[in-house]
Amino acid sequence: QVQLVESGGGLVKPGGSLRVSCAASGFTFSDDYMSWIRQAPGKGLEWVSYISTSGSNIYYADSVKGRFTISRDNAKNSLYLQMNSLRAEDTAVYYCARVRGWSNWYFDLWGRGTLVTVSS
Amino acid sequence: DIQMTQSPSTLSASVGDRVTITCRASQSISSSLAWYQQKPGKAPKLLIYKASSLESGVPSRFSASGSGTEFTLTISSLQPDDFATYYCQQYNSYVTFGGGTKVEIK
């Protein structure tokens, strides 16, 4: 079954850190570009980060640059997002998503998301 | 940064209605536009890519058009399963989503 399953969300205090993960199955993960996208409660979608197949090309939204780090482990079919210096405005459901191609940054497979809440 | 503006933000319609949603880009994005459907508590689902290409498995009542800065998504005959929020997304320069259009029951 082709799917993405996120995990690792939870409650964290402002200034704290958290790592969320995404497990891929049913497709050749190492062949696909991946992204993280988030959605604050009751709000729209916001792209967070992108990583190429080998991890050699990485991009971030300005809102998370310098605080978040995307990575992948192709041997484990897993995608990660390390989030540091978290702020209240980082509270959101974090989705991992498969990118259709290196020049086509739209998302054809999404996980169900994991909720990250930043609050004291 | 490229800004994406959707209108309307909310749309009330009945089953069987023809529905059109508009998405405008702050600068030309050629045909680098996708449309998604999202239901409450669920992940978005890709409907359209490259401005007008229907994703596999998506019903043919969904269609889309446009290029440059103006784009539309049309549902030819609204079905009960179509009540949801719709987002456009540009991928000409990184990624930006529109603010969403909620299609609700009239």
Side-chain angles (χ1 to χ4, degrees):
Chain A
Q1 183 180 2
V2 176
Q3 64 178 359
L4 298 168
V5 179
E6 300 92 339
S7 61
L11 176 64
V12 60
K13 289 182 168 53
S17 298
L18 196 67
R19 187 178 87 155
V20 293
S21 303
C22 171
S25 59
F27 64 99
T28 307
F29 178 74
S30 58
D31 286 348
D32 284 303
Y33 304 83
M34 300 295 295
S35 263
W36 286 99
I37 296 147
R38 68 184 180 183
Q39 186 170 35
K43 302 297 185 182
L45 300 164
E46 180 188 16
W47 171 74
V48 173
S49 184
Y50 161 102
I51 187 167
S52 62
T53 53
S54 65
S56 58
N57 293 295
I58 286 174
Y59 303 93
Y60 298 99
D62 288 344
S63 58
V64 306
K65 203 174 294 183
R67 300 187 299 123
F68 289 13
T69 302
I70 191 172
S71 63
R72 64 191 297 162
D73 185 335
N74 287 338
K76 294 183 177 179
N77 291 333
S78 293
L79 177 72
Y80 307 101
L81 186 68
Q82 176 68 43
M83 301 180 288
N84 298 331
S85 302
L86 282 161
R87 307 165 180 167
E89 55 264 35
D90 295 318
T91 294
V93 173
Y94 284 75
Y95 295 102
C96 68
R98 185 174 68 182
V99 181
R100 179 61 64 85
W102 74 271
S103 64
N104 295 309
W105 288 20
Y106 56 89
F107 312 105
D108 64 357
L109 179 67
W110 297 64
R112 291 185 173 183
T114 187
L115 176 62
V116 173
T117 303
V118 183
S119 175
S120 55
Chain B
D1 291 6
I2 299 175
Q3 309 302 317
M4 304 300 293
T5 304
Q6 283 183 240
S7 61
S9 56
T10 305
L11 188 160
S12 297
S14 302
V15 173
D17 283 354
R18 182 181 180 88
V19 165
T20 298
I21 299 168
T22 298
C23 180
R24 290 187 174 85
S26 59
Q27 64 189 72
S28 177
I29 58 169
S30 186
S31 296
S32 300
L33 187 97
W35 289 96
Y36 300 87
Q37 176 194 68
Q38 186 179 34
K39 297 181 179 179
K42 303 292 187 182
K45 173 188 173 183
L46 177 66
L47 299 175
I48 301 284
Y49 61 94
K50 212 177 293 183
S52 61
S53 296
L54 194 68
E55 176 70 352
S56 176
V58 174
S60 59
R61 62 180 179 273
F62 291 91
S63 64
S65 64
S67 67
T69 61
E70 296 255 344
F71 302 86
T72 59
L73 173 71
T74 298
I75 308 172
S76 60
S77 177
L78 199 64
Q79 298 302 301
D81 191 48
D82 301 337
F83 292 96
T85 300
Y86 294 84
Y87 292 94
C88 62
Q89 175 232 321
Q90 70 81 18
Y91 52 95
N92 185 71
S93 175
Y94 296 102
V95 169
T96 316
F97 291 91
T101 296
K102 183 178 181 180
V103 177
E104 60 181 25
I105 300 172
K106 190 172 185 178

